[in-house]
């Protein structure tokens, strides 16, 4: 989603609480009290009141040249608690002058500073120490992420923050293994290639996984010896600012619409290279031989994970006609059982959407689905009376021309479509402008192989979904972007290749 402000701007030149009480009430058994299924008492969250986080919000300025500073204009903007709509803090609002200051500082750090001149091993050690600090402050970071974003605290603390540490360790390991080649050439010449950092990397991180995307982008850029300017999402600036602060102790991802603007601006300026990981409308294909109970659970996870705010969400659920009716009934029942409530409470599966804009957008899509003739099987309304909660929603009888099947909703709305055979579903799945990911659920290795090779997407998950590892590349085809995040493939985003040719006299061999 395009951000309207240049918020939480970070540029950095490198020169070299207990876990049990982060929010009031600790982790006692009381955390699960008052959580209700949306089909019964929707007001339970409001009745008890939201848990009050006790972590302090200390970093709300821009980080430029290693110092936290106010915006040149003095402007700030509020970042909100999506559980209540109340202001958490006011964050410095960057403008053109601030961008220029940040880029100048990052360029000076690259040209004159020690970071790109360090040995690769020294850079690796710093990244490893940063990963240690992320682990040390796991609970504070997870609390900020949940407070600012609305995702379940258990998801943030047990999965996402540890994954950030894992990613930085992965790229620390690559830092001293980036090397070129000796190339055989015709004639008496010695030819070698050097892999050099590109310089200043400008990076845009989204609001759905703010800290995780920070790691996806900053980790490989720093490992390759670059300096970085980051634009955080205006909805969720707090954790990136906190993480950037941790670097003191050591010494672009977004919607397809945003990506088009970024690419156009890059072409107009100096043809700088751009990597884009953009939107998606990923198919999740349930074949006729599938174990329906398992398929329902996996399809549910593929769509509703992170409040549906996931670029690769399995938001087009294709189900074979022979198992379609059974799947619909069980998918509806699973959605009704989904626990919605305060994301700081134990056992909650779904918190609020990130902000009022996203909340209203999703409700408009739900109304569109109803008006276009899809059958509303579950949900369809807000959950409770306060905050940006939406009931887990399931539509059946969905067809490709409906907006809920064509456009990226980025919310807890499952659209279920019926298909007859593999050729048909391949054609329909590939008809989207997007090509980020796909899921396939089948017991047949032949079916899996056919679909794996036929689907025009960047990732295919067979009998699983959302499997992310530091070493597994991630990115899309078509309007889902180009280039890859994570793994060895991401390093090429931050390196440029130089050929060095030297004449040889009387060589013993060529």
């Amino acid at each position: 989603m395009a951000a309207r402000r240049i918020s939480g701007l970070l540029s950095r030149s490198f020169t070299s609480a207990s876990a049990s009480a982060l929010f009031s009430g600790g982790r006692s058994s009381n955390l699960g009290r008052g959580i209700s299924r949306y089909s019964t008492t929707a007001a339970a969250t409001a009745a008890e009141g939201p848990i009050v986080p006790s972590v302090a919000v200390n970093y709300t300025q821009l980080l430029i040249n290693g110092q936290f500073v106010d915006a040149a204009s003095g402007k700030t903007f509020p970042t909100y608690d999506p559980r209540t709509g109340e202001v958490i803090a006011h964050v410095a609002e960057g403008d053109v002058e601030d961008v220029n200051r940040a880029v100048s500082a990052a360029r000076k750090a690259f040209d004159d500073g020690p970071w790109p001149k360090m040995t690769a091993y020294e850079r690796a050690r710093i990244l490893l120490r940063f990963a240690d600090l992320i682990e040390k402050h796991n609970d504070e970071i997870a609390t900020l992420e949940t407070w600012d974003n609305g995702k379940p605290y258990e998801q943030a603390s047990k999965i996402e923050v540890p994954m950030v540490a894992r990613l930085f360790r992965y790229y620390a390991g690559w830092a001293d293994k980036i090397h070129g080649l000796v190339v055989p050439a015709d004639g008496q010449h010695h030819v070698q290639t050097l892999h050099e950092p590109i310089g200043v990397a400008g990076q845009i991180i989204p609001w759905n996984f703010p800290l995780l995307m920070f790691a996806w982008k900053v980790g490989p850029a720093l490992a390759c010896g670059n300096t970085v300017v980051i634009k955080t999402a205006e909805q969720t600036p707090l954790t990136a600012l906190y993480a950037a602060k941790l670097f003191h102790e050591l010494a672009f991802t977004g919607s397809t619409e945003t990506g088009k603007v970024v690419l156009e601006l890059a072409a107009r300026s100096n043809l700088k290279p751009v990597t884009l990981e953009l939107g998606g409308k990923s198919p999740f294909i349930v074949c006729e031989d599938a174990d329906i109970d398992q398929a329902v659970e996996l399809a549910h996870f593929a769509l509703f994970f992170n409040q549906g705010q996931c670029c690769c969400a399995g938001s087009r659920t294709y189900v074979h006609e022979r198992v379609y009716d059974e799947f619909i009934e069980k998918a509806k029942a699973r959605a009704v059982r989904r626990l919605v409530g305060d994301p700081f409470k134990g056992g909650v599966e779904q918190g609020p959407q990130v902000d009022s804009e996203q909340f209203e957008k999703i409700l408009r899509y739900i109304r569109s689905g109803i008006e276009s003739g899809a059958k509303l099987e579950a949900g369809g309304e807000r959950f409770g009376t306060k905050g940006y909660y939406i009931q887990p929603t399931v539509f059946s009888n969905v067809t490709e021309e409906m907006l809920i099947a064509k456009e990226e909703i980025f919310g807890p709305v499952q659209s279920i479509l019926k298909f007859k055979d593999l050729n048909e579903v391949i054609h329909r799945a590939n008809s989207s402008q997007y090509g980020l990911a796909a899921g396939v659920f089948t017991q047949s290795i032949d079916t899996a192989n056919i679909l794996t090779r036929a689907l025009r997407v960047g990732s295919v998950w067979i009998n699983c979904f959302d499997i992310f590892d530091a070493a597994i590349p991630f990115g899309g085809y078509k309007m889902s972007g180009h280039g890859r995040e994570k793994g060895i493939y991401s390093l090429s985003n931050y390196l440029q290749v130089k050929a060095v040719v030297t004449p040889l006299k009387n060589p013993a061999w060529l």
Side-chain angles (χ1 to χ4, degrees):
M1 174 176 288
R4 295 183 298 275
R5 304 182 183 90
I6 301 167
S7 60
L9 191 68
L10 317 176
S11 78
R12 177 73 178 146
S13 60
F14 292 88
T15 59
S16 50
S18 71
S20 62
L22 281 173
F23 35 85
S24 59
R27 293 186 182 177
S28 71
S29 59
N30 291 333
L31 289 181
R33 289 172 47 225
I35 302 300
S36 68
R37 296 170 176 82
Y38 74 75
S39 57
T40 54
T41 310
T45 300
E48 273 197 0
I51 288 175
V52 179
S54 61
V55 65
V57 180
N58 294 322
Y59 308 103
T60 59
Q61 295 172 291
L62 309 178
L63 178 58
I64 299 178
N65 200 27
Q67 300 293 323
F68 281 102
V69 296
D70 292 330
S73 67
K75 292 181 181 179
T76 63
F77 69 92
T79 185
Y80 296 97
D81 183 343
R83 301 173 302 159
T84 62
E86 297 172 356
V87 175
I88 299 174
H90 288 83
V91 180
E93 181 178 330
D95 209 333
V96 173
E97 183 176 347
D98 302 293
V99 173
N100 290 337
R101 285 194 296 159
V103 172
S104 295
R107 169 52 62 181
K108 182 175 177 58
F110 181 79
D111 290 341
D112 304 326
W115 183 251
K117 297 179 177 65
M118 284 183 184
T119 67
Y121 177 62
E122 289 176 305
R123 286 201 300 271
R125 291 180 63 190
I126 290 176
L127 294 178
L128 288 170
R129 293 207 303 271
F130 179 69
D132 291 341
L133 285 175
I134 290 290
E135 285 188 340
K136 177 181 177 180
H137 296 278
N138 181 96
D139 288 8
E140 295 101 311
I141 295 169
T143 299
L144 283 174
E145 192 83 328
T146 293
W147 196 6
D148 210 15
N149 174 275
K151 65 179 65 211
Y153 175 77
E154 292 181 355
Q155 174 184 321
S157 66
K158 296 180 181 179
I159 300 174
E160 293 186 18
V161 179
M163 192 178 292
V164 170
R166 172 70 179 94
L167 281 157
F168 272 96
R169 289 196 177 102
Y170 175 85
Y171 285 111
W174 267 115
D176 60 357
K177 300 172 187 65
I178 298 169
H179 51 75
L181 301 170
V182 174
V183 182
D186 295 340
Q188 297 185 10
H189 292 89
H190 173 77
V191 182
Q192 67 182 100
T193 59
L194 305 177
H195 290 185
E196 301 178 341
I198 59 173
V200 179
Q203 301 177 322
I204 301 174
I205 54 179
W207 51 256
N208 57 334
F209 293 97
L211 193 65
L212 204 53
M213 297 300 100
F214 175 94
W216 281 24
K217 297 180 183 299
V218 173
L222 294 183
C224 292
N226 300 282
T227 55
V228 174
V229 176
I230 296 174
K231 182 208 165 294
T232 66
E234 64 186 65
Q235 297 90 342
T236 54
L238 299 181
T239 49
L241 289 167
Y242 187 98
K245 172 262 179 187
L246 295 180
F247 271 120
H248 283 269
E249 299 182 26
L250 299 176
F252 179 115
T253 303
S255 70
T256 297
E257 288 71 24
T258 303
K260 289 179 180 178
V261 173
V262 171
L263 196 59
E264 181 180 356
L265 292 175
R268 285 182 184 175
S269 57
N270 57 0
L271 288 177
K272 58 180 69 67
V274 176
T275 299
L276 302 172
E277 192 267 283
L278 305 175
K281 194 69 178 173
S282 300
F284 184 97
I285 300 172
V286 179
C287 300
E288 61 181 310
D289 63 348
D291 180 305
I292 296 304
D293 290 333
Q294 293 180 6
V296 165
E297 188 62 35
L298 188 58
H300 180 87
F301 168 76
L303 186 282
F304 291 103
F305 172 65
N306 204 53
Q307 291 72 253
Q309 297 170 160
C310 190
C311 56
C312 59
S315 52
R316 289 184 293 154
T317 307
Y318 287 94
V319 181
H320 193 276
E321 61 182 5
R322 292 182 183 175
V323 294
Y324 184 82
D325 292 339
E326 180 184 0
F327 186 96
I328 292 293
E329 290 304 312
K330 291 182 175 179
K332 173 182 177 179
R334 179 62 181 92
V336 170
R337 292 196 308 272
R338 187 170 182 82
L339 295 178
V340 182
D342 188 334
F344 281 114
K345 294 185 176 181
V348 165
E349 297 176 274
Q350 180 176 316
Q353 309 308 129
V354 71
D355 62 10
S356 59
E357 181 179 347
Q358 188 68 12
F359 174 80
E360 295 295 342
K361 172 189 170 185
I362 295 166
L363 290 178
R364 287 196 299 272
Y365 273 114
I366 291 173
R367 290 193 294 270
S368 169
I370 295 171
E371 292 166 359
S372 62
K375 182 180 179 182
L376 182 64
E377 298 282 356
E381 299 177 358
R382 76 176 301 162
F383 175 89
T385 58
K386 190 175 185 180
Y388 309 131
Y389 297 89
I390 292 179
Q391 296 175 350
T393 299
V394 176
F395 280 105
S396 64
N397 296 340
V398 179
T399 56
E400 268 81 5
E401 70 273 8
M402 297 178 181
L403 289 182
I404 59 172
K406 290 195 300 184
E407 298 184 2
E408 187 177 33
I409 299 174
F410 228 59
V413 181
Q414 185 177 32
S415 298
I416 306 178
L417 304 89
K418 184 189 297 185
F419 75 93
K420 293 182 179 181
D421 57 52
L422 286 186
N423 288 334
E424 174 201 336
V425 77
I426 289 169
H427 174 75
R428 292 168 64 186
N430 285 336
S431 65
S432 171
Q433 64 176 330
Y434 297 110
L436 189 54
V440 174
F441 206 91
T442 179
Q443 298 181 45
S444 168
I445 188 66
D446 292 333
T447 299
N449 284 334
I450 290 170
L451 290 172
T452 296
R453 287 156 177 77
L455 295 171
R456 295 196 291 272
V457 296
S459 297
V460 180
W461 288 296
I462 305 296
N463 296 334
C464 59
F465 207 86
D466 278 350
I467 303 301
F468 293 100
D469 184 271
I472 301 175
F474 183 77
Y477 290 17
K478 299 184 284 187
M479 297 295 284
S480 289
H482 57 79
R484 292 295 180 266
E485 308 273 13
K486 302 193 291 106
I488 187 173
Y489 295 93
S490 68
L491 298 174
S492 62
N493 301 331
Y494 303 102
L495 294 167
Q496 49 195 353
V497 179
K498 177 186 290 181
V500 180
V501 182
T502 306
L504 293 173
K505 293 184 178 180
N506 301 319
W509 50 270
L510 290 175

